[in-house]
Structure formats: C-alpha cells, structure tokens
C-alpha cells in the first residue's frame, strides 16, 4: 500500500497533538480522521477501518499506566483485518512501549515527535500492513508450499527458533524475509515479549544512535524529552533489523559495539544499559557484496550470521504457484465480497511460467488485481496484469518512443535497480520515492 493512498486515524485527547498530526499527514496520505477518546472507537469502526492508527495510551489527567490505550489496542487487533497501530506516548516509558509491542503495536513514537520520523514510521506501517496483515493471517500461511525448499525452510525455523542464536535471513525482495523472522520469534522462548521490526535502510545515519539506543533530554538540539531506543523497547524479545545491507560502514561499527558489549548507552547518558534482545537480520545483498569488506564489516557479519536462512525465490518453486494462487484469490474474494471463479488453464500455465521478479509479494498483488478487475466467468492471464509476451520490434524512426512517460518511467526504474543491484531501498532513494511506491511501479511495469 502506498502511503499516499492510506487512511490514517489519530486517536488522542490532546487537540494540539491531533491538529499537528493532521496538518502534517494530510499532505501525504489520502485520508486523516481523528477521535478524542477510545469510547468513540466502536461507532467509528462501524463505518470505516483505517490502515494505520496513531494511538495515544493515556486519556485522563495524571494517567501514566496506558490502560485505556492498551484496551483500545486490543479492540483494534481483534478486527478481522486489523490496522497497523503506532503507539504514541508523552512519556518515554520503556515498560509501556514494551507492553504496547506485546499487545500488537508495530512501532512507537514519543511526543513531541520529529516530523520526518513520524512520516517514515507511517510509511513503514503502511508497507508492512500491505505485505502481511491483510492477506496473511499467520506465519504458516505466509510460508506455505510443498516444494522441498519450503519444507526445509520450515524445518530449519523449527530447529533454530528455540535457541538464542542470532539469525541472518537472505533472499530477494518479496520472498517473505520478515515473515521468516516473525515465525522465528513466534516459535521461540521469547514469543511472549515484543517483536520489533526496523528498516535499517530507512534510518538516516544522523539519527541512527538515537533510534537504536535512545537519548536523554537535552542530548542534542530538539531533544526536549527522553526517548527509548529500539533495543530497549524490544527488551526480552526479538529485534528484526531489515535491510541490514543498507547500513553505512560507520553505522555498522556502532551496531557492532552494542552487540559485542551487550549494552547500549543512550545519547546524553552517563551509564550504559544492558540489553536483552535476540537479533534477526535480513538483506537482499548478493553473497559477494555481503562478504565485501568495503560494503559490510566482516566482524559484524560474524556477529549476525550465527545461523543463515536462505528463502527461495518463487521461480525456483513453481510447483507451489497453484497453491499460492488458490490461497490469495480465495482471500481477496472474501475481502472484496466477490463470487469465486475458476482460473483458466491458459492463465495458470502463463502464471506458472512467469518469473515473478517480485516473488510472493508480486503474486499476491497480482491476485488482488485480478479479483478486483476480472469480468468474465474465469480468471484469465490479462486479469493479473502481467507484462505481455511480445517479440521485440524496432520502433519506427519517426516515433519518439523514448519520450513516452511510461517508457521513461520504466527505464528509470530498471536503471535504478540495475545500479544498486536490485536493492529496493537504495533504488527508491535514487528515484525519490518511497519503497511502497517503488513496489507499485515494479508491479505496473512487470519488472
């Protein structure tokens, strides 16, 4: 889901907070609503379910236990297709952040927030909701498939999850690396504690230490309040460092120090704090790049890849495609209230022979498109929006094909991907778009 198409709900009793969030977000998303109290939530949900909720946790003067917000969070998580929830609190209370993560919040922000951080957090929440929550009710469904590689993957997860070993998940974009990380957490002894996912490629290097380790009030300009870092918020649980290959070398050194010492020092603090987290990381870097010291520190790699799990691309398990198609078509038929229809044999053959450069994520998006747009008695190949097979032809000399907007956009996206060796986060930055927007363009152009 692109953030520009997102529906956001701000649930906070502070009118100034609501105004500030609405003023910022309405320039970037499709719809922003607000409520002043959780008591108004049931009636609101009868008319609309937002994609992302910014949820305050205290609604009475002097209240700091977050009970009202936790109750609202449980109500939201109980919905058939729950929104992504970002916890808001005016208090840098690690315990409350941990409790919110345990109850299902996908991230947290401390008020007053940094605007860039708020937008980045909403962007990531939209992406994660689109990638997992609506179409994948649990990890088993996400990792389904009868190919030998998938049976091996599930077996490896079952063996590794109960240990404390750090795990590095490798694979192309769209194969489900975060879902593997969630399965590891769910089957671990840490399952009752938070699972916190952090896109390392989206973190500005200037704020890396604050985001990971937290900061004290006055530690730097605009640090008006104490803030917990991600290591503290994930205490006792699992910290998933996605797109770890995008981390600049100086930032890698800071992360390595924290992992070696098993402690972090918040910016502006005098003493280090012990950390208790299991690290699961993921990258789509090719093996030669991952082992290139100019790209990734060998000592950090040694700390992260105690266990390496490779997630196979969809083109290497084509026999699972019919099962995945049936699952996602049935899901979207239920979601959109569409009558079931069979898949034409010719369409199935075409879909099984498609290379699926976006892997399972791209297949799921194609199924959603087909359910929405199909008009016949059967699903046909064109319903899925695959790039048509066509013999290459020479354009007439007088036809300025290179000036067509669609062609220019496709060429720009392809060139950016080629330049960064398929790294989605870096390609998105080169193109000046969000990762979610880039995924939509990849789908649009069949890349």
């Amino acid at each position: 889901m692109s953030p520009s198409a997102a529906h956001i709900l701000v649930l906070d009793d502070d009118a100034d907070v609501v105004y500030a969030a609405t003023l910022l977000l309405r320039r970037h998303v499709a719809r922003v609503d607000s409520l002043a109290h959780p008591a108004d939530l049931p009636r609101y949900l009868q008319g609309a379910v937002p994609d992302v909720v910014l949820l305050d946790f205290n609604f009475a003067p002097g209240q700091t236990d977050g009970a009202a917000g936790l109750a609202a969070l449980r109500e939201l998580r109980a919905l058939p297709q729950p929104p992504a929830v970002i916890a808001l609190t005016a208090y840098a209370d690690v315990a409350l952040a941990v409790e919110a993560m345990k109850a299902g919040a996908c991230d947290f922000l401390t008020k007053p927030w940094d605007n860039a951080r708020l937008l980045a957090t909403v962007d990531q929440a939209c992406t994660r909701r689109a990638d997992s929550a609506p179409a994948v009710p649990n990890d088993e469904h996400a990792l389904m498939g009868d190919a030998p590689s998938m049976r091996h993957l599930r077996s490896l997860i079952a063996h590794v999850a109960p240990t404390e070993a750090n795990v590095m998940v490798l694979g192309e974009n769209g194969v489900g690396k975060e879902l593997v990380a969630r399965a590891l957490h769910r089957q671990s002894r840490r399952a009752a504690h938070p699972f916190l996912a952090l896109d390392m490629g989206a973190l500005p290097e200037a704020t890396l230490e604050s985001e990971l380790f937290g900061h004290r009030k006055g530690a730097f300009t605009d640090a008006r309040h104490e803030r917990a870092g991600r290591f503290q918020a994930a205490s006792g649980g699992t910290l998933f460092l996605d797109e770890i290959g995008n981390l600049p070398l100086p930032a890698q050194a800071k992360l390595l120090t924290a992992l070696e010492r098993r402690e972090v020092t918040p910016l502006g603090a005098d003493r280090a704090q012990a950390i208790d987290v299991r690290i699961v990381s993921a990258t789509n870097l090719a093996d030669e790049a991952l082992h290139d010291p100019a790209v990734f520190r060998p000592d950090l790699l040694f700390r992260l890849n105690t266990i390496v799990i490779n997630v196979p691309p969809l083109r290497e398990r084509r026999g699972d495609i019919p099962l995945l198609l049936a699952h996602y078509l049935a899901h979207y038929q239920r979601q959109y209230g569409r009558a079931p229809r069979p898949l034409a044999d010719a369409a199935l053959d075409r879909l099984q022979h498609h290379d699926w450069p976006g892997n399972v994520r791209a297949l799921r998006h194609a199924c959603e498109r087909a359910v929405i747009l199909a008009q016949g008695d059967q699903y046909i190949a064109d319903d899925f929006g695959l790039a048509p097979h066509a013999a290459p032809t020479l354009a007439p000399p007088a036809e300025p094909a290179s000036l067509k907007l669609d062609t220019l956009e496709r060429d720009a996206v392809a060139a950016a991907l080629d330049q960064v060796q398929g790294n989605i986060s870096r390609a998105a930055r080169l193109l000046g778009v969000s990762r979610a927007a880039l995924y939509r363009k990849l789908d649009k152009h069949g890349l």
Side-chain angles (χ1 to χ4, degrees), residues 40-186:
D40 302 323
L41 191 56
R43 179 181 298 178
Y44 173 84
L45 293 173
Q46 292 176 6
V49 176
D51 300 305
V52 178
V53 177
L54 301 180
L55 176 63
D56 187 24
F57 273 67
N58 294 300
F59 291 86
Q63 186 183 48
T64 61
D65 61 4
L70 289 169
L73 176 56
R74 287 190 290 270
E75 183 177 356
L76 290 164
R77 296 300 299 167
L79 295 171
Q81 293 178 11
V85 178
I86 300 169
L88 298 177
T89 176
Y91 306 91
D93 188 336
V94 174
L96 182 55
V98 169
E99 193 68 23
M101 300 299 298
K102 285 182 182 179
C106 69
D107 211 331
F108 71 98
L109 290 168
T110 301
K111 298 182 289 186
W113 56 72
D114 173 78
N115 283 348
R117 178 60 194 158
L118 173 60
L119 292 174
T121 303
V122 169
D123 189 350
Q124 292 178 37
C126 289
T127 300
R128 288 201 164 89
R129 185 175 189 267
D131 282 351
S132 55
V136 183
N138 54 53
D139 292 336
E140 291 88 350
H141 284 211
L143 300 175
M144 65 185 176
D146 198 44
S149 58
M150 291 304 291
R151 293 200 298 269
H152 174 71
L153 175 63
R154 290 192 294 269
S155 174
L156 188 56
I157 290 171
H159 279 84
V160 172
T163 74
E164 288 295 301
N166 289 339
V167 179
M168 178 171 278
V169 186
L170 305 179
E172 298 175 4
N173 290 304
V175 295
K177 296 188 290 295
E178 180 173 337
L179 296 167
V180 170
R182 290 184 181 276
L184 286 165
H185 175 73
R186 183 179 52 79

Side-chain angles (χ1 to χ4, degrees), residues 11-325:
L11 181 47
D12 197 303
D13 61 340
D14 187 325
D16 290 337
V17 167
V18 171
Y19 177 77
T22 302
L23 188 65
L24 174 65
L25 289 170
R26 69 183 181 188
R27 300 196 300 267
H28 301 275
V29 304
R31 174 178 172 184
V32 183
D33 295 335
S34 64
L35 295 175
H37 199 277
D40 302 323
L41 191 56
R43 179 181 298 178
Y44 173 84
L45 293 173
Q46 292 176 6
V49 176
D51 300 305
V52 178
V53 177
L54 301 180
L55 176 63
D56 187 24
F57 273 67
N58 294 300
F59 291 86
Q63 186 183 48
T64 61
D65 61 4
L70 289 169
L73 176 56
R74 287 190 290 270
E75 183 177 356
L76 290 164
R77 296 300 299 167
L79 295 171
Q81 293 178 11
V85 178
I86 300 169
L88 298 177
T89 176
Y91 306 91
D93 188 336
V94 174
L96 182 55
V98 169
E99 193 68 23
M101 300 299 298
K102 285 182 182 179
C106 69
D107 211 331
F108 71 98
L109 290 168
T110 301
K111 298 182 289 186
W113 56 72
D114 173 78
N115 283 348
R117 178 60 194 158
L118 173 60
L119 292 174
T121 303
V122 169
D123 189 350
Q124 292 178 37
C126 289
T127 300
R128 288 201 164 89
R129 185 175 189 267
D131 282 351
S132 55
V136 183
N138 54 53
D139 292 336
E140 291 88 350
H141 284 211
L143 300 175
M144 65 185 176
D146 198 44
S149 58
M150 291 304 291
R151 293 200 298 269
H152 174 71
L153 175 63
R154 290 192 294 269
S155 174
L156 188 56
I157 290 171
H159 279 84
V160 172
T163 74
E164 288 295 301
N166 289 339
V167 179
M168 178 171 278
V169 186
L170 305 179
E172 298 175 4
N173 290 304
V175 295
K177 296 188 290 295
E178 180 173 337
L179 296 167
V180 170
R182 290 184 181 276
L184 286 165
H185 175 73
R186 183 179 52 79
Q187 297 178 43
S188 76
R189 297 185 181 95
R190 295 174 174 266
H193 297 280
F195 174 92
L196 185 55
L198 186 61
D199 186 344
M200 304 301 283
L203 279 181
E205 188 172 357
T207 62
L208 175 79
E209 287 185 87
S210 175
E211 291 293 336
L212 287 177
F213 312 140
H215 64 253
R216 295 287 183 259
K217 180 180 178 181
F220 52 85
T221 304
D222 293 331
R224 294 186 291 271
H225 296 268
E226 182 176 321
R227 186 186 191 282
R230 269 37 182 179
F231 273 94
Q232 296 97 319
S235 180
T238 302
L239 183 59
F240 176 53
L241 305 179
D242 198 5
E243 302 285 2
I244 190 73
N246 288 349
L247 203 58
L249 286 171
Q252 291 180 28
K254 296 171 183 176
L255 177 59
L256 174 64
T257 299
L259 297 179
E260 286 180 336
R261 297 178 179 175
R262 303 295 298 173
E263 63 182 23
V264 299
T265 303
L267 292 176
D270 297 325
R271 296 183 180 180
Q273 299 177 358
I275 55 174
D276 174 25
V277 294
R278 184 187 193 179
I279 302 295
V280 178
S281 57
T283 180
N284 61 3
L285 281 182
D287 192 63
E288 57 271 18
L290 189 59
H291 288 85
D292 181 353
V295 176
F296 206 87
R297 291 179 62 111
D299 44 4
L300 178 58
L301 182 62
F302 175 77
R303 288 283 176 181
L304 295 174
N305 71 346
T306 306
I307 302 293
V308 175
I309 294 181
N310 286 279
V311 187
L314 189 54
R315 64 180 175 277
E316 293 182 3
R317 54 185 187 104
R318 296 181 189 273
D320 288 339
I321 289 177
L323 176 65
L324 292 166
L325 288 168

